[in-house]
């Protein structure tokens, strides 16, 4: 893919989907990039405190050394985002869950290679009064200090438009390189492990996180597909990095994906009882049932969690569906979903209604057949045992790989992909 081609498709994606990923990329601080594997040499965040009240709230992070930072605000929902060079967070497991003053909650983590982020949810519109980093002095560690005061919504929104005018880094996030397409006619399967970095996804009571489980499974599936020799495989992420939803879609389109498989693991609150087994989702404006609606909403929150600006996004699946309806993409997506259910029936646990639909943003590529698979429930003990078992992962990856074969065989035997 030439640079020009990528730029063109990116622009097309931005028009179709809203410039969400670009907004995220823009907000990344111009900090010195460090390779992620050098984590032992990274600056550390060792403690965090929130003080004050609804009139003025101070947020302080203790650091092992002074670092560069950039802070800005986002609307709908109200958030404050602090971008930092990559740091290691050594904070207590409950850090971020306590509300105090203007801060409802906060979270932190990797937003991309070389960059970490802290996202604060605020009770209402706020102004960043001060934000600065201090060197260690007088027996105190280096610190990051953020002061917030409440303001009205109109002033808040005008601050945001000013912030957006100032140039942050405008370079788009370089996606992971896909295998070279030019001379290789094999179909490209894009695997999309959900969540990552600052966004953990769902969490088991025993601490396992969706982002880790789905990455592990995606790697197993990638290896299985590659070993068959029939497909090229690219992954939207192959490490613990956050990727905005629109960037995942753009990645699949820019690399000419023939099939897009988003991989997740669900969880339901204990009070809602038990659920088990895998479910396959395709895109639809109207959710097939209440559970599908809940799930689509939860999965679409990934960008909010990571501090991506959603106001630039149309937020409406309907327009994309009009476009989709004119293409074979939707039919192909359903065909693949059926093949998946057929294969998984024999090898894995399936949910009692295994084929559903909902308004998942990650499934909105108009020209790449896309499904989202929820492998099972992190909240269900027996499912979790399977999800984290290498034997189950291998067996399920084999079933998925078989479904990919079922999906492509008629077309590969014919005149080529998409031509029949
Ligand atoms: Zn998920």
């Amino acid at each position: 893919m030439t640079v020009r081609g990528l730029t063109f498709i990116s622009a097309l994606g931005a028009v179709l989907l809203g410039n969400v990923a670009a907004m995220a990329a823009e907000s990344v601080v111009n900090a010195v990039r460090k390779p992620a594997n050098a984590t032992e040499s990274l600056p550390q965040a060792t403690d965090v405190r929130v003080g004050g009240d609804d009139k003025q709230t101070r947020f302080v992070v203790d650091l092992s050394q002074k670092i560069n930072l950039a802070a800005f605000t986002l609307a709908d929902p109200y958030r404050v985002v602090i971008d930092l060079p990559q740091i290691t967070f050594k904070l207590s497991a409950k850090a971020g869950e306590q509300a105090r003053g203007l801060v409802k909650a906060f979270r932190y983590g990797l937003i991309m290679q070389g960059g970490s982020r802290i996202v604060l949810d605020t009770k209402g519109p706020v102004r960043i009064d001060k934000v600065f980093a201090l060197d260690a002095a007088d027996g105190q560690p280096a610190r990051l200090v953020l002061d917030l005061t409440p303001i009205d919504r109109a002033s808040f929104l005008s601050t945001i438009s000013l912030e957006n005018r100032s140039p942050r880094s405008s370079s788009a996030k370089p996606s992971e390189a896909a295998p070279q397409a030019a001379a290789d006619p094999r179909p490209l399967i894009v695997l999309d492990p959900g969540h990552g970095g600052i966004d953990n996804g769902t969490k088991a009571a025993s601490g396992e996180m969706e982002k880790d489980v789905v990455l592990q499974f995606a790697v197993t599936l990638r290896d299985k597909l590659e070993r068959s020799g029939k497909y090229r495989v690219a992954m939207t992420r192959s490490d613990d990095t956050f990727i905005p939803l629109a960037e995942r879609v753009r990645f699949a389109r820019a690399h000419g994906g023939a099939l897009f498989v988003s991989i997740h693991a669900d969880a339901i609150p204990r009070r809602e009882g038990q659920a088990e087994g895998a479910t396959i989702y395709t895109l639809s404006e109207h959710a097939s049932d209440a559970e599908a609606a809940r799930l689509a909403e939860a999965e679409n929150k990934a960008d909010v969690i990571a501090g991506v600006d959603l106001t630039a996004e149309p937020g409406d699946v309907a327009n994309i569906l009009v476009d989709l309806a004119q293409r074979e993409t939707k039919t192909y997506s359903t065909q693949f979903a059926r093949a998946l259910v057929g294969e998984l029936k024999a090898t894995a646990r399936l949910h009692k209604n295994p084929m559903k639909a909902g308004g998942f943003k990650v499934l909105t590529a108009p020209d790449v057949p896309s499904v989202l698979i929820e492998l099972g429930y992190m909240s269900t003990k027996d499912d979790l045992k399977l999800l984290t078992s290498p034997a189950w992962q291998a067996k399920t990856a084999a079933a998925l790989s078989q479904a990919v074969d079922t999906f492509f065989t008629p077309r590969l035997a014919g005149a080529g992909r998409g031509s029949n």
Side-chain angles (χ1 to χ4, degrees), residues 160-239:
I160 288 182
S161 60
L162 278 175
E163 281 173 359
N164 286 344
R165 231 176 291 148
S166 70
R168 298 192 201 109
S169 164
S170 62
S171 61
K173 182 186 185 306
S175 296
E176 190 188 334
Q180 274 307 307
D184 192 338
R186 295 174 299 164
L188 176 73
I189 318 292
V190 177
L191 301 181
D192 176 51
H195 314 279
I198 190 170
D199 171 22
N200 296 328
T202 58
K203 210 168 150 185
S206 42
E208 290 88 347
M209 290 187 280
E210 178 185 357
K211 66 173 182 179
D212 298 328
V213 170
V214 298
L215 177 59
Q216 208 176 38
F217 180 79
V219 168
T220 307
L221 178 57
R222 177 193 64 193
D223 294 349
K224 177 80 190 160
L225 288 167
E226 280 181 344
R227 270 199 305 273
S228 79
K230 294 181 227 170
Y231 312 102
R232 290 175 295 130
V233 184
M235 288 170 68
T236 53
R237 70 176 178 99
S238 53
D239 56 21

Side-chain angles (χ1 to χ4, degrees), residues 193-195 199-202 210-211 214 262-266 295 298-300 302 372-374:
H195 314 279
D199 171 22
N200 296 328
T202 58
E210 178 185 357
K211 66 173 182 179
V214 298
S262 194
I263 300 164
H264 292 257
D266 204 353
L295 184 74
E299 297 294 8
N300 288 346
L372 182 146
I373 175 166
E374 296 283 346

Side-chain angles (χ1 to χ4, degrees), residues 9 13 16-17 190 245-254 256-261 283 317 320-321 323-325 327-330 333 360-371:
I9 291 169
L16 277 166
L17 299 166
V190 177
L245 295 172
E247 171 61 22
R248 296 168 190 262
V249 175
R250 186 152 34 236
F251 178 94
R253 305 190 71 204
L259 185 63
F260 177 86
V261 185
L283 180 70
V317 179
I320 296 156
L321 281 165
D323 186 24
L324 262 179
R327 306 188 190 220
E328 294 166 306
T329 310
K330 208 179 167 188
S333 302
F360 296 88
K361 287 184 193 165
V362 80
L363 299 181
T364 51
D367 44 10
V368 185
S370 302
V371 304

